[in-house]
Amino acid sequence: MGEQRQRYNEEFKKQTVKFIQEQTKTLSDLVEELNIPKSTLHQWMSQYRELKNEPAASMDRVKELEAELKEMRRMLQEKEHRLADTEEELAIVKKAVHIFSKPKN
């Protein structure tokens, strides 16, 4: 009879993927260390991989951070434009209050 297949729960799989992502070892080294087939680890990686757990040296992580930075810069620029518009509106209101609050002769 064949070998009984090992079953792993979701939390174990997620923690294993996180562990793999935080390592500087090769996947082959980790296969030996964890005694889990390489194809299984690849499957788990595709299913549970989170780029935020990877070191910044990872190209995918770098691309994600660049996209996030670009979006944050766009949002900041948008807020700066709204702030400038609001300051201009406030200056106009102040002038109007000053003009209309002068006593009439």
Side-chain angles (χ1 to χ4, degrees), residues 3-13 16 35-37 40 43-44:
E3 283 186 39
Q4 182 77 12
R5 284 181 53 171
Q6 179 68 36
R7 295 274 183 203
Y8 302 98
N9 65 33
E10 295 294 309
E11 187 60 28
F12 178 82
K13 293 175 185 179
T16 302
N35 197 27
I36 298 173
T40 301
Q43 183 181 1
W44 293 357

Side-chain angles (χ1 to χ4, degrees), residues 3 33 44 51 57 78 81 91 94-95:
E3 283 186 39
E33 186 176 316
W44 293 357
L51 294 176
E78 187 178 297
H81 285 301
K94 284 181 179 179
K95 287 179 185 177

Side-chain angles (χ1 to χ4, degrees), residues 17-64:
V17 169
K18 185 177 180 187
F19 173 76
I20 291 168
Q21 289 179 282
E22 294 170 347
Q23 296 300 308
T24 56
K25 299 175 184 177
T26 66
L27 193 57
S28 298
D29 291 340
L30 292 168
V31 163
E32 287 181 32
E33 186 176 316
L34 299 171
N35 197 27
I36 298 173
K38 194 172 194 172
S39 60
T40 301
L41 292 179
H42 278 295
Q43 183 181 1
W44 293 357
M45 291 288 287
S46 66
Q47 193 172 5
Y48 300 108
R49 184 177 185 196
E50 293 183 23
L51 294 176
K52 66 182 178 188
N53 294 329
E54 292 187 11
S58 161
M59 282 310 294
D60 290 340
R61 180 72 173 137
V62 169
K63 288 177 184 175
E64 178 190 336

Side-chain angles (χ1 to χ4, degrees), residues 63-102:
K63 288 177 184 175
E64 178 190 336
L65 290 172
E66 286 174 343
E68 187 177 331
L69 178 61
K70 185 177 180 181
E71 177 64 16
M72 292 295 166
R73 284 181 176 159
R74 185 195 63 76
M75 289 172 58
L76 179 60
Q77 192 174 29
E78 187 178 297
K79 286 182 180 185
E80 286 174 346
H81 285 301
R82 284 197 311 245
L83 179 60
D85 289 346
T86 303
E87 287 174 343
E88 186 178 345
E89 290 169 3
L90 181 60
I92 292 169
V93 169
K94 284 181 179 179
K95 287 179 185 177
V97 166
H98 181 71
I99 291 170
F100 291 112
S101 66
K102 286 184 181 178

